[in-house]
């Protein structure tokens, strides 16, 4: 199976959906922030490994605690994933913090400040 094949894309989408459901309803670890979302998932073509990009609404400490909590709950998450998705192999999950949403919010704030300053100078 090639990396960008239709089958791999469907698997990525299904794993992302199920990971989101598991994080929303099944994780009882207090370190995992309630506003945690799965931004993207990349399952390797051999279905052995998976990179899950996680976004957390909160400060740096909340993000670090959430990653530690998810890494400690990886066995549970993997078991639930195997129970809900019928795959030959259940991938080993590596959680990676995704900063793209935070970066986008910061850039939007800067653009808004700049346009507000420009409008102030015009008046």
């Amino acid at each position: 199976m090639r990396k960008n094949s239709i089958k791999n894309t469907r698997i990525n989408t299904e794993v992302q959906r199920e990971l989101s459901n598991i994080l929303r309803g099944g994780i009882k670890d207090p370190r995992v922030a309630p506003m945690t979302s799965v931004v993207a998932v990349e399952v390797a073509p051999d279905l052995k490994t998976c990179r899950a990009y996680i976004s957390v609404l909160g400060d740096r400490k909340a993000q670090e605690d959430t990653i530690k909590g998810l890494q400690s709950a990886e066995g549970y998450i993997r078991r639930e994933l195997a129970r809900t998705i019928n795959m030959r192999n259940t991938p080993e999950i590596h959680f990676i913090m995704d900063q793209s949403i935070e970066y986008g919010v910061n850039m939007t704030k800067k653009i808004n400040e700049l346009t507000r300053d420009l409008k102030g100078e015009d008046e």
Side-chain angles (χ1 to χ4, degrees):
M1 177 172 56
R2 287 177 286 139
K3 185 175 177 108
N4 294 327
S5 68
I6 295 172
K7 181 178 177 184
N8 197 345
T9 304
R10 283 196 328 239
I11 289 172
N12 290 342
T13 305
E14 189 65 27
V15 169
Q16 180 179 353
R17 183 180 313 123
E18 290 303 324
L19 273 178
S20 296
N21 290 338
I22 292 168
L23 290 181
R24 189 171 357 112
I27 301 294
K28 304 291 187 225
D29 194 333
R31 294 178 290 184
V32 178
M35 294 299 290
T36 301
S37 61
V38 180
V39 177
V41 171
E42 293 178 2
V43 179
D46 63 355
L47 305 178
K48 299 284 186 191
T49 60
C50 168
R51 288 185 292 190
Y53 295 94
I54 304 296
S55 176
V56 178
L57 185 64
D59 60 346
R60 178 72 63 193
K61 176 147 176 43
Q63 293 174 354
E64 292 171 0
D65 289 345
T66 298
I67 289 294
K68 288 178 185 174
L70 289 174
Q71 287 172 345
S72 69
E74 183 197 349
Y76 169 77
I77 294 170
R78 194 171 174 195
R79 184 178 70 234
E80 289 298 310
L81 196 62
R83 191 176 59 80
T84 56
I85 299 177
N86 185 16
M87 292 173 48
R88 184 179 314 132
N89 297 322
T90 303
E92 180 181 335
I93 305 167
H94 301 286
F95 295 102
I96 300 169
M97 185 58 62
D98 184 36
Q99 303 292 340
S100 63
I101 294 175
E102 181 180 345
Y103 178 76
V105 169
N106 288 335
M107 290 304 290
T108 302
K109 286 180 183 177
K110 290 178 181 179
I111 291 170
N112 289 340
E113 289 173 6
L114 185 64
T115 56
R116 185 176 55 235
D117 292 343
L118 289 176
K119 285 181 183 178
E121 289 176 3
D122 290 341
E123 294 173 1

